[in-house]
Amino acid sequence: MWNLSVDMEVAPRESRMQNKESDIGVRRASNKKHHQNLQSIMQIPEHFAELSIRMFGALDDSGAGKETVLERRRTFLRREHIEKIAFQLQGNNIECFHFGSQSEGTTTPGLQSDIDFLLSYNKCNIMTVWEDWRTGMYNLLMLHDNTTPPQQYLLQVIHTDTPEPVTSLTDDMFVRKDSGQILFSAERWKNKIAYDTRDQVSCTFHVRKPLPEIQHWIDRCRGKHWPPVQLLEAARIAPCFLVPAGHPESDYKREEWRLSPDLIERMLTFSFNMTQIKCYIVLKLIKKSLFAYIVGDAITSFHCKTIMFFTMERTHPSLWCEHNLMSVLLLCLHLLRRWLRLGRLPHYIIEGVNLFDGKLSKLLQKRLLVYIDSLISNNLQDVFCIGIDNIGCRLQACSMRHTVQAGELRGVLLHNSIRLLLKFEYLESLKRVLTVIKHKLSSSHTTFEHKLKYIIHNCFECIENSTNVMSKTAALELIKHFYPLHISVQSSYYLRLQNVLDSENIRRVRYSLNSDVASSRLKFASMLYCSGHLQAAVRVLEDVERRYPSKVKALCVFRRLKGDRDLKVFADMLFGNTDNSEPPLAFCVNFLRQESHCAPVILLFEMNRNITEEEMAQRDIIDKQWIDSAEVDARPFLHYLQYLTYGGLGERDKQLHAMGVLEAYIDIRNQLNMYHQETALNLLGHCYEMEGDYAGALHYYEQSLRCRRTNNAANWHVLRIMRLISG
């Protein structure tokens, strides 16, 4: 894989190293000649250098600075390693990849770029020739002939026990071609995955064998300024993917698989310097702000990326510097104009593909060509009309400070807000992975602890055997979360047998308290409370309250609230939080049924929320992963535990104060920061119930039901309170 730590600000120096010439004077003269040729051929306006520097700064201010780019890349690579190990722990030979603008770092908040999540199934052996057949595996032979469009393949099904074609339709995924060959259907596979995952996930197969399309591209690129030799060598051994997507004009489009060199394209993009990254981002801003008025979304980010690849290949590396940003952008637009005149945009790597097919009709090509002619002839003045990220205003000749809208995030604050959002989404994906694994382990109470030990053991093996630093870090991150779960399950077992927690168990828990600002410590406090160590529980709760920053963002894996990922939410969290040792994020506190004796009794009802079978039927695939456990937001649980422990110690004033704080917290102002409001209301209702105020308890239980009518433990609480009231 191409090195992520490439220095993106020294392209001229790097390019000189990559294109060694014996005579330095000749090289300088060559660079000067390239620059002069660019000015004379393209007729570059004199003000372009100043505009380029201003655009560079505007993009820095808009969340496209170097540190933010690298932060995005690191985050998504970490997520890939976490998800890959998680699949391995579940016995699935699957690899995960995040492709697209978010993971490349080639985006801004205003572009609202998607995340392309790709799963690759390694249990299938993709054959390019018969000699590739492997016994005991699902073998699929790639078929391509003169009738198959470029980049497209059919997959013929081959037996697992003998290198012979399958001749009968023994699987729902199989279809018969007119020639009699049994094919693995791309459309049926895609539909099956969409049904199974209920998500926008692309499920593909690896092609690990050498492919003529890739070798032809490598041969074509040799000896050019870009891509560098090292990248071509890495590309030669990089696997490609077969994506279930047919050519729009093919007779076999439902059965066809598209060859996709995503990893090679990632290497190419990761080799961009900052000028190239910003040129690519400006192309996408133009595409979304200006082209969209003419062609809608027919021009995609991949079209922009392809134009970048061709322009970089044909342009001397010394030109890709800050003061030339608008000049190289103009080169990109000239190239796009050329492709529009020809009516075809070639794929950069795979020959014979027209990227306009199925995307940009001839009519739209003509309309876009007219606009680009105008855009070029007016010296790109339309960039001042880009509204996304307020780019146009930032580029105005007057002071940029006065053109920025009030309250708009910029510069360092925007970078830190994006960094915190990335951390939030990384932890969210980590907790989702953990929950899926825990759900699968929970199928059996008797073997849960044994399976959990096996999971932890496998994580340690991954650390020992892997040579990849990110893989080791990912495995360590999983251990950090599974180990305290193992201690909690073990402690629950001791408490069920009415054994007192020994000091060794308590000591081990103390080393697992730094997953976030609150949730792990709250589970520890709950464990201490349930085992009768009330003074120790109070000390932990006081520590949680002391550590709790003034502004903390709750983090829930399974529920989303409108606006909870707004960057201004994260910017607001940064104000007043002077302690940067850990991000101000708090997971929801979760108790599995195997931990039930470490949780307050009221939470046992949360593990049995449904009253009727109809409620069970209403649960979707996501609900089923967590709804049989107790899940509560950290802050309400903190105050509820304080109420219980102070009550147990007879400290009445503190107990009532904790109840008052809990009641004040469950307020409309905190709805953006509470994902389980119905559970928080149930806890408050239980406080009133323990106070003997049954009317108050009933009020809050009914309020909880107004939040969520079904699959809510409040249904049980209302029945109980009604019995108590009626005597």
Side-chain angles (χ1 to χ4, degrees):
M1 184 173 290
W2 192 243
N3 194 347
L4 178 64
S5 62
V6 141
D7 189 345
M8 298 188 294
E9 291 184 337
V10 289
R13 178 176 63 82
E14 288 176 345
S15 61
R16 288 197 293 270
M17 292 172 64
Q18 294 162 4
N19 303 282
K20 295 179 180 177
E21 300 178 38
S22 58
D23 186 273
I24 296 176
V26 171
R27 183 169 64 240
R28 287 176 178 166
S30 174
N31 289 350
K32 184 177 180 181
K33 183 178 179 182
H34 274 283
H35 185 67
Q36 289 172 342
N37 286 345
L38 178 65
Q39 282 193 312
S40 60
I41 294 171
M42 306 296 297
Q43 297 180 340
I44 303 298
E46 291 183 5
H47 73 276
F48 261 31
E50 180 189 346
L51 182 58
S52 296
I53 292 169
R54 203 182 305 162
M55 178 67 85
F56 220 88
L59 290 170
D60 277 341
D61 253 6
S62 302
K66 179 179 178 179
E67 291 305 315
T68 306
V69 170
L70 293 177
E71 188 73 34
R72 288 187 188 278
R73 293 181 180 181
R74 282 191 293 263
T75 298
F76 283 98
L77 288 173
R78 282 199 296 266
R79 287 175 63 169
E80 285 182 7
H81 285 282
I82 286 279
E83 286 151 359
K84 179 181 177 180
I85 293 172
F87 275 116
Q88 290 174 349
L89 293 175
Q90 297 172 69
N92 298 319
N93 193 3
I94 297 174
E95 289 190 60
C96 310
F97 299 92
H98 296 276
F99 294 119
S101 302
Q102 290 274 12
S103 59
E104 294 166 353
T106 56
T107 189
T108 64
L111 282 170
Q112 299 179 333
S113 302
D114 293 331
I115 300 170
D116 300 325
F117 186 47
L118 183 147
L119 296 179
S120 183
Y121 286 73
N122 294 329
K123 64 182 179 181
C124 286
N125 176 45
I126 303 299
M127 305 162 53
T128 56
V129 292
W130 282 101
E131 288 75 16
D132 294 335
W133 180 85
R134 291 175 62 183
T135 184
M137 293 194 70
Y138 297 106
N139 292 283
L140 299 170
L141 177 64
M142 296 172 66
L143 301 180
H144 186 93
D145 57 27
N146 294 334
T147 64
T148 314
Q151 198 181 6
Q152 303 296 142
Y153 282 89
L154 298 173
L155 293 180
Q156 184 179 8
V157 185
I158 311 299
H159 282 290
T160 59
D161 55 351
T162 177
E164 296 176 354
V166 169
T167 56
S168 56
L169 299 173
T170 56
D171 193 287
D172 290 340
M173 297 297 106
F174 297 173
V175 294
R176 191 184 301 275
K177 195 181 176 186
D178 294 342
S179 61
Q181 294 166 308
I182 303 299
L183 304 178
F184 194 87
S185 170
E187 184 178 68
R188 293 186 183 185
W189 172 252
K190 185 164 62 175
N191 291 341
K192 178 183 184 301
I193 295 300
Y195 178 80
D196 289 346
T197 64
R198 309 291 201 280
D199 207 351
Q200 296 299 314
V201 177
S202 182
C203 292
T204 68
F205 299 123
H206 266 77
V207 184
R208 301 185 182 276
K209 311 297 189 299
L211 293 166
E213 296 95 331
I214 305 304
Q215 189 58 51
H216 178 78
W217 168 73
I218 291 172
D219 293 340
R220 178 177 68 78
C221 290
R222 291 196 188 280
K224 297 189 177 183
H225 295 304
W226 186 87
V229 174
Q230 303 98 310
L231 198 154
L232 293 176
E233 286 303 307
R236 186 175 57 82
I237 59 174
C240 292
F241 302 100
L242 287 172
V243 180
H247 191 281
E249 298 174 5
S250 172
D251 293 337
Y252 290 97
K253 61 185 177 185
R254 291 175 178 166
E255 281 69 57
E256 283 176 355
W257 297 74
R258 185 178 69 231
L259 182 67
S260 185
D262 293 287
L263 282 174
I264 298 175
E265 289 161 4
R266 175 197 271 182
M267 293 178 195
L268 294 171
T269 309
F270 276 19
S271 76
F272 286 9
N273 67 26
M274 277 311 298
T275 302
Q276 290 155 349
I277 285 173
K278 292 190 176 182
C279 182
Y280 181 24
I281 290 173
V282 176
L283 274 177
K284 287 191 273 192
L285 288 167
I286 290 173
K287 180 260 301 183
K288 192 164 185 175
S289 277
L290 306 179
F291 291 175
Y293 290 114
I294 293 96
V295 298
D297 59 359
I299 292 291
T300 66
S301 292
F302 189 71
H303 290 131
C304 297
K305 182 187 292 187
T306 303
I307 292 163
M308 279 295 302
F309 289 160
F310 277 114
T311 305
M312 288 172 61
E313 180 189 287
R314 301 171 185 204
T315 309
H316 196 276
S318 64
L319 294 175
W320 292 93
C321 53
E322 182 176 349
H323 65 271
N324 278 339
L325 176 57
M326 301 307 292
S327 302
V328 291
L329 175 63
L330 193 59
L331 280 173
C332 292
L333 293 171
H334 271 275
L335 189 59
L336 175 56
R337 180 168 69 175
R338 179 189 172 195
W339 297 133
L340 287 167
R341 285 172 176 169
L342 293 173
R344 61 182 294 107
L345 174 59
H347 193 287
Y348 180 64
I349 295 174
I350 300 175
E351 197 173 49
V353 178
N354 182 4
L355 296 178
F356 288 154
D357 286 349
K359 291 287 185 180
L360 198 66
S361 67
K362 294 295 182 182
L363 177 61
L364 291 181
Q365 289 175 37
K366 290 178 181 178
R367 288 179 180 174
L368 186 58
L369 179 58
V370 170
Y371 176 71
I372 290 177
D373 277 333
S374 170
L375 183 63
I376 291 173
S377 64
N378 72 12
N379 294 327
L380 308 185
Q381 288 300 300
D382 284 8
V383 297
F384 289 95
C385 300
I386 296 175
I388 297 173
D389 296 303
N390 209 25
I391 292 294
C393 291
R394 297 180 195 272
L395 292 176
Q396 297 300 321
C398 58
S399 169
M400 291 175 62
R401 185 180 300 275
H402 292 114
T403 61
V404 175
Q405 296 175 359
E408 184 178 3
L409 301 180
R410 339 168 32 193
V412 175
L413 178 59
L414 179 57
H415 163 71
N416 289 336
S417 302
I418 292 171
R419 178 180 55 79
L420 195 53
L421 172 60
L422 289 170
K423 182 69 174 179
F424 176 87
E425 292 178 338
Y426 166 75
L427 291 173
E428 182 185 52
S429 67
L430 170 63
K431 291 295 283 185
R432 184 178 296 111
V433 160
L434 292 167
T435 305
V436 169
I437 294 175
K438 288 191 289 185
H439 175 68
K440 291 193 174 182
L441 294 180
S442 297
S443 57
S444 169
H445 285 266
T446 56
T447 61
F448 182 88
E449 188 180 350
H450 174 73
K451 289 178 180 177
L452 190 55
K453 283 182 180 178
Y454 180 72
I455 290 281
I456 295 170
H457 171 75
N458 285 350
C459 286
F460 276 114
E461 279 197 342
C462 180
I463 293 173
E464 292 174 5
N465 299 332
S466 177
T467 57
N468 185 289
V469 175
M470 278 197 171
S471 287
K472 289 176 180 286
T473 304
L476 191 60
E477 187 81 36
L478 290 170
I479 290 171
K480 190 170 78 173
H481 289 269
F482 281 127
Y483 186 66
L485 174 62
H486 176 248
I487 295 171
S488 182
V489 170
Q490 199 173 60
S491 300
S492 180
Y493 175 73
Y494 290 156
L495 293 173
R496 181 170 67 85
L497 298 178
Q498 298 183 340
N499 291 335
V500 178
L501 286 184
D502 57 23
S503 57
E504 177 62 22
N505 253 27
I506 293 173
R507 186 187 64 80
R508 285 191 297 161
V509 174
R510 292 172 58 191
Y511 293 104
S512 310
L513 298 179
N514 60 345
S515 63
D516 65 326
V517 299
S519 67
S520 53
R521 293 179 176 89
L522 288 174
K523 288 189 74 169
F524 182 37
S526 181
M527 183 190 304
L528 291 170
Y529 167 77
C530 292
S531 62
H533 294 86
L534 300 187
Q535 288 287 1
V538 165
R539 287 196 296 272
V540 174
L541 292 172
E542 288 173 346
D543 180 57
V544 171
E545 196 161 29
R546 187 167 54 250
R547 288 172 176 273
Y548 231 100
S550 58
K551 295 173 181 175
V552 173
K553 177 79 179 73
L555 192 159
C556 183
V557 176
F558 300 108
R559 289 181 179 174
R560 287 200 172 188
L561 300 172
K562 185 178 181 181
D564 68 346
R565 280 159 178 74
D566 192 312
L567 276 173
K568 290 183 179 179
V569 171
F570 293 91
D572 187 51
M573 291 165 58
L574 296 170
F575 291 112
N577 286 335
T578 55
D579 182 12
N580 295 319
S581 59
E582 56 185 348
L585 302 170
F587 299 139
C588 292
V589 183
N590 176 272
F591 290 94
L592 300 177
R593 290 185 175 186
Q594 289 81 358
E595 303 172 89
S596 58
H597 291 273
C598 291
V601 174
I602 194 67
L603 291 185
L604 301 186
F605 289 91
E606 301 293 327
M607 301 176 187
N608 299 275
R609 301 165 197 260
N610 63 294
I611 285 185
T612 65
E613 290 297 323
E614 288 77 14
E615 288 182 87
M616 292 278 287
Q618 290 175 13
R619 300 177 180 181
D620 61 23
I621 190 171
I622 302 298
D623 288 336
K624 290 175 183 177
Q625 293 177 357
W626 70 273
I627 210 163
D628 285 333
S629 61
E631 183 107 359
V632 57
D633 292 283
R635 191 89 198 197
F637 190 53
L638 164 64
H639 301 310
Y640 177 73
L641 278 180
Q642 287 175 328
Y643 175 84
L644 294 180
T645 51
Y646 287 134
L649 292 169
E651 299 187 31
R652 184 63 174 159
D653 290 342
K654 290 184 177 180
Q655 182 187 27
L656 292 175
H657 175 73
M659 180 177 169
V661 174
L662 173 60
E663 190 164 18
Y665 185 80
I666 303 174
D667 183 273
I668 192 167
R669 290 170 297 176
N670 288 313
Q671 284 187 358
L672 189 60
N673 213 24
M674 265 204 298
Y675 292 89
H676 300 276
Q677 191 177 19
E678 81 282 6
T679 306
L681 286 164
N682 289 341
L683 297 184
L684 181 57
H686 190 234
C687 292
Y688 272 89
E689 186 177 345
M690 286 186 284
E691 290 290 318
D693 184 350
Y694 298 148
L698 184 61
H699 166 75
Y700 282 111
Y701 291 146
E702 288 178 341
Q703 195 171 328
S704 172
L705 288 172
R706 283 195 287 273
C707 293
R708 200 168 291 267
R709 172 59 57 181
T710 59
N711 285 299
N712 185 348
N715 283 302
W716 295 111
H717 302 324
V718 168
L719 291 175
R720 184 178 65 255
I721 289 294
M722 294 303 291
R723 286 198 299 270
L724 290 171
I725 291 175
S726 63

